[in-house]
Structure formats: C-alpha cells, structure tokens
C-alpha cells in the first residue's frame, strides 16, 4: 500500500475519533446534572439553606441486566458518601466497585463508563441520580 494512503487513512480515523470524543464530552457537560440532584430516607429534620437536604437518600437504577441500589449521603450541599447498598446485576460487582468514590470526587452521578460493564455503570448512574433527585429541596 502506498504510504500516502496509510497517512491519509490514519488522519481520517484520527479526525473521526477526535470529533466523536469532543461531541461526547460536550454532550456530557450539557447533560450533567447539578452537583447534587423529594423525600429521602433518614433526612435531617433541620432546615437546610442549600438546594439539597442533608441526609442519606436511596436510589435505584435498573436495566435488562439487573438492578443496583445506591445510598447517597449529603451534607451541606455536598455528596459525602456513596455506597452500593444492593447489587443484582448479571455481572460482578467488582466491575463497578470504584464508582462510588468517583461520584464523591466529581460531585455528580456522571461517572466514566467501565469498559465491559456498561449496563452496570448505567444502572449505577441511574441509582445515584434517583437518590440525588430525592435530596432536592422543594
């Protein structure tokens, strides 16, 4: 094969990959919820001046491969702890064991997809988002 074709094809593939990456990143920033997103379990009765209630809120995410429940703890409008409280996915929990810490670090349900565990990642994200929506002050 002619070297010009190899270079041209490699450049085209790189451009397509870069365009896809940039589109995904900008879509993620548009879709990202507020740092922490109705009634929760174990919520503090003390009034919160922030956008979210203090307390621990449970959420569920599910898809065709199973379901995940997450317990999200919020204090002073910050996610302070996330735990996978129930894992009933077709795959191993070991695949998503690092995601709770990522939520705390990013202060968002939008975590990076775990390669090979897309369904588990999505169910986890949905569970955290469900819990965060319960934490919202109305």
């Amino acid at each position: 094969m002619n070297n010009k074709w190899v270079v041209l094809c490699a450049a085209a593939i790189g451009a397509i990959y870069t365009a896809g990456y940039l589109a995904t990143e900008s879509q993620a920033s548009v879709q990202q919820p507020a740092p922490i997103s109705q009634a929760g379990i174990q919520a503090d009765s003390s009034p919160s001046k922030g956008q979210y209630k203090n307390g621990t809120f449970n959420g569920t995410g599910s898809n065709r491969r199973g379901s995940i429940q997450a317990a999200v703890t919020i204090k002073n409008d910050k996610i302070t702890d996330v735990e996978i409280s129930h894992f009933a996915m077709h795959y191993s929990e070991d695949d998503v064991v690092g995601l709770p810490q990522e939520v705390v670090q990013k202060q968002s349900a939008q975590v990076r997809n775990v390669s090979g565990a897309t369904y588990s990642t999505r169910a986890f994200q949905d569970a955290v988002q469900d819990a965060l929506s319960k934490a919202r002050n109305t």
Side-chain angles (χ1 to χ4, degrees), residues 20-66:
Y21 176 79
L22 293 174
T24 303
E25 285 297 307
S26 44
Q27 183 181 15
S29 66
V30 168
Q31 290 179 349
Q32 241 177 17
I36 307 176
S37 306
Q38 267 138 335
I41 299 172
Q42 300 176 353
D44 273 353
S45 58
S46 60
S48 175
K49 298 204 188 289
Q51 188 174 6
Y52 304 98
K53 299 172 189 168
N54 290 332
T56 299
F57 303 87
N58 292 316
T60 302
S62 62
N63 55 48
R64 66 185 181 130
R65 299 289 186 201

Side-chain angles (χ1 to χ4, degrees), residues 84-118:
I84 297 173
S85 55
H86 181 71
F87 187 89
M89 296 297 293
H90 179 73
Y91 305 104
S92 170
E93 186 174 357
D94 293 341
D95 294 334
V96 295
V97 74
L99 295 180
Q101 184 58 35
E102 189 174 338
V103 170
V104 173
Q105 288 173 347
K106 289 185 170 184
Q107 293 294 299
S108 170
Q110 300 300 314
V111 295
R112 289 185 181 252
N113 186 51
V114 176
S115 179
T118 300

